[in-house]
Amino acid sequence: MKFTNNKYSIKGLGIYIGLIIFLSAVVFLLFSNMFERNAPQIKVQNEIYWNFQKPINVAIADDTQIKSYDIFFIDGEKKIKLETKVVKNENGIIELDVMPPASDEFYKPKEATLQVDVYDTSKWNFFKGNHAVSNSKIVIDKKSPVANVISNSYLLRQGGSGVIIVEINDENIKDYYISFNDEEVFELFPFYKKNYYISIITWPIDIKEFKRVNVVAVDLAGNRTEAKVPFYIKSFKEKIDDIKISDDFVNNVSKHVLENSEMSVPNNIVETFVKTNKELREKNVKTIRDVAKKNLMNNMNTSFDIKPFVRLPNAATFAKFGERRHYFYNDIKIDEAWHLGMDWASVKRADVYTSNPGKVIFKGYLGIYGDSVIIDHGLGIGSLYAHTSSINVELNDEVKAGQHIANTGSTGAVFGDHLHFGMLVQGIEVNPNEWLDFDWMKTNVTKTINDAVKIINGSGNTNANGSAK
């Protein structure tokens, strides 16, 4: 009996040990990194527009390491393995540039599939590793967008405005705009018929050299077209205006402007003035740009029937657009800045009226400009009324031509009661004299629009708002 009992004890011990080994193996399989079961992750766009010029970016990641990957181009007839270039390979992450398939002029598929096939180094799946596959739709587009200039103003002055009407056409269009010197970008607005657009631009006065104005169109595949806009140009001859700054002006004006703008006030007279005239001015100009750009994005209203603006009644002009002001303290030059509007003065608290209908897109304190109003008139054109003593409109109000909107004042960084009147093109202050001139508007705005409509129609009479008679 003892022998039999020992036999059963040994057998039970063997089963127990075997069970422990089995459970240990199961635990090892479940929790060991060698047998991790997470499939590799593939990061690639679901829909890709490809012109076969630039590589496609694919990223692969795994909890351990990538063992192998294959990327195929499948067009329905062929399955081509694509070459890749490793951009990054570290910590289980591989970034690849996938090269386009070799093709000739007769190979013109319109759609295909990009298949990414990946295995990791895990011992799971009978030592084959975890497997992942992704399929992305490819739209093949090798054709550049159409970008033609239909009509534009004849002359563009430094600091002045110009009108451009273009044709943009592409079934996969992504972006289109007007570029000035590759520095400034101007939005295009829908015009008259499908695929036609209009923009009012400026040659910013602080950019001395004119290089080029281009219509730029880019499609989803990265195809890009640039078309030059033919302008005759005329540089601006600046007028230097020397201005003496006194302690009284800095203490009673500059300091208060900084305080009202929630900016610290330096202890030094010169530093206080320069901070107001440079740092705060830049901040205020940026606010004007941002307000105008935001309004463009929120409201792509393309109605445009603007008439020449009218100066403040019975007012004298105390400062003009484009004066280059040099500021002196104790006969030492301490700063300089452009004056970018018209300063008109008549009597204190003179009534200010709008010349054209529009929408109030800014009302409030604007640093050196004081209490100000900005009205949008469509197509990125705005008018600015600064240094007011009172404002009679509210933000987002729709105003009519001839409406009393404010009264002149001396708020902001000014010497006395007057109106600073500014014209804005997509938030950039431009020469108001053009927009006050009936002949300029007839030649550069009305005629340009009418000529474009005639070209688009092929023939027929048109009027200035772009509709056929």
Side-chain angles (χ1 to χ4, degrees):
M1 293 296 294
K2 286 184 178 180
F3 179 80
T4 304
N5 287 339
N6 287 339
K7 179 180 178 182
Y8 284 123
S9 297
I10 293 170
K11 184 177 179 180
L13 180 61
I15 293 172
Y16 179 73
I17 293 171
L19 182 61
I20 291 175
I21 293 172
F22 174 76
L23 291 175
S24 299
V26 170
V27 170
F28 180 76
L29 286 172
L30 290 176
F31 297 101
S32 171
N33 284 337
M34 290 179 61
F35 290 90
E36 62 89 13
R37 293 170 293 167
N38 295 325
Q41 299 172 355
I42 303 170
K43 186 177 180 182
V44 61
Q45 291 178 298
N46 292 327
E47 187 173 56
I48 302 167
Y49 290 81
W50 206 5
N51 60 6
F52 286 6
Q53 299 297 315
K54 295 182 179 179
I56 295 172
N57 182 259
V58 175
I60 304 168
D62 191 73
D63 295 339
T64 54
Q65 293 290 329
I66 304 298
K67 180 170 67 176
S68 66
Y69 59 85
D70 291 304
I71 301 179
F72 298 97
F73 180 88
I74 307 169
D75 66 2
E77 297 180 2
K78 301 178 182 179
K79 184 175 182 179
I80 305 169
K81 185 175 180 180
L82 299 180
E83 295 183 5
T84 63
K85 177 183 178 182
V86 177
V87 178
K88 177 182 177 182
N89 187 356
E90 58 181 41
N91 299 324
I93 298 174
I94 298 177
E95 290 187 11
L96 304 167
D97 277 346
V98 180
M99 306 305 173
S103 62
D104 55 38
E105 59 180 322
F106 301 106
Y107 183 65
K108 297 181 179 179
K110 292 185 177 180
E111 290 187 356
T113 299
L114 185 77
Q115 185 178 93
V116 183
D117 204 341
V118 185
Y119 284 92
D120 66 14
T121 58
S122 171
K123 303 304 181 183
W124 190 252
N125 194 25
F126 300 102
F127 297 92
K128 291 181 181 179
N130 299 298
H131 178 226
V133 62
S134 77
N135 291 289
S136 301
K137 178 183 176 181
I138 295 178
V139 178
I140 301 164
D141 182 1
K142 300 181 182 181
K143 186 178 180 181
S144 296
V146 171
N148 293 324
V149 179
I150 302 300
S151 178
N152 63 275
S153 308
Y154 173 79
L155 176 67
L156 183 63
R157 294 181 173 90
Q158 184 181 0
S161 306
V163 180
I164 303 170
I165 296 163
V166 302
E167 177 189 13
I168 304 288
N169 197 348
D170 191 280
E171 61 182 3
N172 299 318
I173 197 69
K174 178 183 178 182
D175 197 13
Y176 46 85
Y177 53 89
I178 303 295
S179 169
F180 180 91
N181 280 12
D182 295 326
E183 296 180 51
E184 294 287 350
V185 170
F186 297 93
E187 298 290 338
L188 283 158
F189 299 84
F191 174 78
Y192 190 61
K193 287 184 179 180
K194 184 180 178 181
N195 299 326
Y196 294 94
Y197 302 87
I198 184 172
S199 183
I200 299 175
I201 71 159
T202 180
W203 174 0
I205 195 168
D206 57 349
I207 299 179
K208 289 190 175 182
E209 183 182 3
F210 179 96
K211 295 178 182 177
R212 68 184 71 85
V213 173
N214 285 337
V215 183
V216 180
V218 183
D219 67 19
L220 291 168
N223 300 303
R224 179 185 180 94
T225 300
E226 292 189 5
K228 181 181 178 181
V229 183
F231 278 114
Y232 285 92
I233 62 171
K234 186 174 182 180
S235 298
F236 186 85
K237 187 176 181 180
E238 63 187 53
K239 175 182 176 293
I240 303 298
D241 189 12
D242 294 340
I243 299 176
K244 293 183 178 181
I245 300 301
S246 66
D247 289 17
D248 184 63
F249 178 82
V250 174
N251 289 324
N252 294 313
V253 176
S254 299
K255 285 185 178 180
H256 293 305
V257 171
L258 287 174
E259 291 169 350
N260 290 337
S261 301
E262 299 181 348
M263 296 179 70
S264 61
V265 179
N267 295 323
N268 181 278
I269 288 290
V270 171
E271 289 178 1
T272 299
F273 176 81
V274 172
K275 184 172 184 177
T276 306
N277 196 56
K278 185 178 293 293
E279 185 178 334
L280 181 57
R281 182 187 296 274
E282 291 175 357
K283 182 179 178 181
N284 299 151
V285 169
K286 183 179 184 301
T287 297
I288 294 172
R289 289 291 301 270
D290 290 346
V291 166
K293 289 288 186 181
K294 181 180 178 181
N295 185 66
L296 290 179
M297 298 303 103
N298 292 341
N299 180 15
M300 292 295 283
N301 184 2
T302 59
S303 62
F304 190 71
D305 186 17
I306 197 167
K307 296 177 175 60
F309 285 78
V310 179
R311 62 182 288 120
L312 186 71
N314 304 313
T317 300
F318 281 85
K320 298 179 180 180
F321 175 86
E323 291 181 358
R324 188 64 177 169
R325 292 178 168 177
H326 292 190
Y327 299 94
F328 291 83
Y329 178 73
N330 291 337
D331 296 325
I332 298 174
K333 182 180 174 182
I334 57 174
D335 202 10
E336 60 182 81
W338 289 103
H339 183 254
L340 298 178
M342 302 290 290
D343 284 353
W344 293 323
S346 58
V347 296
K348 287 187 177 181
R349 299 182 61 83
D351 292 340
V352 177
Y353 301 91
T354 58
S355 301
N356 283 280
K359 176 184 177 182
V360 178
I361 61 173
F362 181 87
K363 173 197 174 182
Y365 189 77
L366 192 58
I368 64 169
Y369 292 88
D371 293 325
S372 303
V373 177
I374 300 175
I375 297 176
D376 172 69
H377 302 284
L379 297 187
I381 295 299
S383 53
L384 166 67
Y385 309 82
H387 308 310
T388 65
S389 58
S390 62
I391 297 173
N392 301 330
V393 292
E394 298 298 330
L395 188 65
N396 297 321
D397 277 359
E398 298 286 344
V399 298
K400 299 178 180 179
Q403 183 173 331
H404 176 212
I405 61 167
N407 290 82
T408 63
S410 55
T411 55
V414 295
F415 291 95
D417 187 297
H418 71 276
L419 174 69
H420 173 99
F421 173 74
M423 287 297 301
L424 306 173
V425 168
Q426 299 196 21
I428 301 174
E429 281 199 78
V430 300
N431 194 337
N433 288 306
E434 294 180 338
W435 297 93
L436 294 163
D437 186 338
F438 175 85
D439 290 332
W440 180 87
M441 290 196 63
K442 180 179 179 181
T443 300
N444 292 275
V445 180
T446 306
K447 185 178 184 301
T448 303
I449 291 175
N450 287 345
D451 287 349
V453 175
K454 289 178 182 178
I455 293 170
I456 294 168
N457 287 336
S459 62
N461 295 321
T462 60
N463 59 23
N465 64 15
S467 59
K469 289 185 178 179

